[in-house]
Amino acid sequence: MPDVSEAAYIARFGEFRWSLIEFFGLHHIYSTWYFIALNVWLAVSAAVCTIKKLRYAVRALRDPIVIRSPDYYRSGKVRHSSDALDADKVEQRLRQAHFRVLKAKAADGSVHFFGQRGHIRLWSIVALHLSILIILIGVAVSYVYGFQGSVAVEPGSTVAVQLDPSEGKPVWLRRFLSTHA
């Protein structure tokens, strides 16, 4: 005989629709295998992105300017001019364009600039991915130690409820909870 909640579902949706709802786990979607798999996938993706962006952000913060020879800049992205440029004006223009400017003087007396943009945006991406990881850790903890179910209590009465933390959990999780919960 079906329990009360299952009977209520059958009365509301019919036998066939209820069997579909039960098969796909739509009555408890947050504990279905595919929802958990998607959360694991999202956690791995967020962890990889966080590590990658964090390494890039830290490297951008601490790495010194690398002075390279003119042959390095053959791509055409460098402005070549025989006119002498005032280094202070170049630095001022870069700062007006909201670049973080680092300046280094080479042994031959030439001045090299390193302009970087989007530094704050890079750290905000790291913070976003870390917050996603924290949320997913909360999902994992609630899955392991959480309970699922409902208790019907008549108004004005009390009911004693005994909870078993391993009830409804997979076998591997039941073993863990028997020693840790």
Side-chain angles (χ1 to χ4, degrees):
M1 171 129 188
D3 65 17
V4 177
S5 61
E6 190 173 328
Y9 277 116
I10 292 170
R12 182 168 182 189
F13 299 109
E15 190 76 38
F16 177 71
R17 285 192 210 154
W18 166 244
S19 64
L20 287 176
I21 290 170
E22 191 174 34
F23 177 76
F24 290 111
L26 298 177
H27 61 301
H28 60 87
I29 195 162
Y30 297 115
S31 59
T32 58
W33 69 268
Y34 55 87
F35 186 81
I36 293 167
L38 288 172
N39 275 311
V40 168
W41 184 10
L42 181 61
V44 169
S45 173
V48 168
C49 287
T50 302
I51 290 167
K52 182 180 174 185
K53 294 295 182 182
L54 184 62
R55 284 178 40 195
Y56 182 74
V58 168
R59 191 178 318 129
L61 231 157
R62 69 181 165 124
D63 281 352
I65 299 173
V66 178
I67 299 176
R68 304 198 188 273
S69 70
D71 294 337
Y72 179 81
Y73 300 103
R74 285 189 221 169
S75 66
K77 296 178 183 175
V78 176
R79 182 178 181 270
H80 296 283
S81 173
S82 59
D83 300 339
L85 296 173
D86 184 17
D88 293 332
K89 284 186 179 178
V90 171
E91 183 178 4
Q92 181 183 9
R93 281 195 175 169
L94 285 171
R95 289 189 190 280
Q96 284 174 348
H98 305 289
F99 280 89
R100 187 180 86 154
V101 180
L102 301 173
K103 184 168 56 169
K105 203 164 198 171
D108 65 353
S110 62
V111 178
H112 295 261
F113 290 103
F114 174 74
Q116 184 182 34
R117 261 184 156 165
H119 194 67
I120 293 173
R121 189 175 9 190
L122 183 62
W123 281 101
S124 65
I125 290 172
V126 170
L128 171 72
H129 285 96
L130 279 174
S131 65
I132 291 171
L133 280 174
I134 290 168
I135 290 169
L136 291 173
I137 289 169
V139 167
V141 168
S142 68
Y143 175 74
V144 171
Y145 293 107
F147 295 97
Q148 176 181 327
S150 59
V151 177
V153 179
E154 294 291 326
S157 65
T158 59
V159 174
V161 177
Q162 183 177 355
L163 300 173
D164 179 10
S166 62
E167 185 179 329
K169 305 285 184 180
V171 175
W172 64 270
L173 193 51
R174 276 188 243 149
R175 283 190 215 122
F176 172 79
L177 289 173
S178 67
T179 58
H180 292 87

